[in-house]
Amino acid sequence: MKTIQILRTLINLLFYTLIAIFALGFAFGVILLFFPEILPSPYNAYTMLFSSFFTWKMYLMPSIAIINYVLLILAIFFLKKSVSSFLKSDFYSERVTKNLQKGGSLFIFIGVSTITIQFFSAIYIQNIANDMIGGQYNFLIRWSNILAAAIDLKSIIAIIIGLFFLLFSKIFENSRVLKQENDLTI
């Protein structure tokens, strides 16, 4: 039981820290967008993000990162709900399996969407670099650079964590069914 309490404490700490960081980032974005004159001088350079210099493609990666961050908070929330059921020794409830399944699916989505967006961003940046130097890259070198930029360890770990949560969800679901059958036979 002590392990579950430690896990619960760490998940709660992570959850509330993620929310606090998101709130600070959101407040900074609002200030940057609507009240840039109150920012200290080192932060005034960030106001150029909202100029017409950047195209919509430049905002795609940060937008997806923000969406993935919110989805990460939601996935941690589902895990938080599952751990609270574990503290009550309610391992076989349908709520636990659904929360683990939702959390796992979100982790997989975060990993796959990050790899996908990084892949297209790397292609976009490679095209810009190719246009700037006016030459042609070797095909193999170009695509190996794109793949190296797109596939990162944290995305792979997010997918693996999501698959583990889906596996645990299935295990708990099968255990719940076996427990119900066992309860009926006794």
Side-chain angles (χ1 to χ4, degrees), residues 48-63 124 128:
M48 74 176 212
L49 293 173
F50 301 109
S51 70
S52 61
F53 175 72
F54 294 110
T55 63
W56 66 271
K57 294 176 188 175
M58 297 300 282
Y59 296 112
L60 189 60
M61 184 70 173
S63 300
Y124 180 70
I128 290 174

Side-chain angles (χ1 to χ4, degrees), residues 33 52 59 68 123:
L33 185 60
S52 61
Y59 296 112
N68 281 346
I123 290 173

Side-chain angles (χ1 to χ4, degrees), residues 156-172:
I156 300 297
I157 289 174
I159 293 170
I160 291 171
I161 288 171
L163 290 172
F164 267 112
F165 285 134
L166 289 179
L167 176 69
F168 289 146
S169 170
K170 190 66 175 168
I171 290 170
F172 283 129

Side-chain angles (χ1 to χ4, degrees), residues 11-162:
I11 287 178
N12 284 337
L13 180 68
L14 176 64
F15 179 71
Y16 293 118
T17 302
L18 290 173
I19 289 177
I21 291 170
F22 180 77
L24 288 172
F26 183 77
F28 181 73
V30 168
I31 290 171
L32 190 63
L33 185 60
F34 296 112
F35 310 106
E37 64 278 353
I38 67 171
L39 289 173
S41 62
Y43 296 111
N44 285 337
Y46 287 111
T47 58
M48 74 176 212
L49 293 173
F50 301 109
S51 70
S52 61
F53 175 72
F54 294 110
T55 63
W56 66 271
K57 294 176 188 175
M58 297 300 282
Y59 296 112
L60 189 60
M61 184 70 173
S63 300
I64 296 297
I66 291 169
I67 291 169
N68 281 346
Y69 191 82
V70 171
L71 291 177
L72 176 66
I73 292 172
L74 190 61
I76 299 297
F77 174 73
F78 287 131
L79 297 180
K80 183 178 178 272
K81 286 173 53 174
S82 294
V83 170
S84 18
S85 294
F86 292 159
L87 278 173
K88 300 173 193 168
S89 296
D90 188 17
F91 300 106
Y92 304 112
S93 73
E94 189 174 349
R95 184 178 60 208
V96 170
T97 58
K98 293 293 180 189
N99 287 334
L100 287 174
Q101 186 178 22
K102 289 176 187 176
S105 298
L106 285 172
F107 273 109
I108 291 171
F109 179 80
I110 290 167
V112 170
S113 67
T114 300
I115 289 173
T116 304
I117 292 302
Q118 286 177 342
F119 179 75
F120 288 116
S121 296
I123 290 173
Y124 180 70
I125 291 171
Q126 282 281 334
N127 288 337
I128 290 174
N130 194 26
D131 291 343
M132 289 175 80
I133 63 171
Q136 292 293 324
Y137 279 112
N138 182 335
F139 179 80
L140 185 60
I141 293 173
R142 180 176 184 203
W143 283 100
S144 63
N145 287 339
I146 289 171
L147 288 176
I151 300 173
D152 62 344
L153 188 60
K154 68 179 185 235
S155 300
I156 300 297
I157 289 174
I159 293 170
I160 291 171
I161 288 171

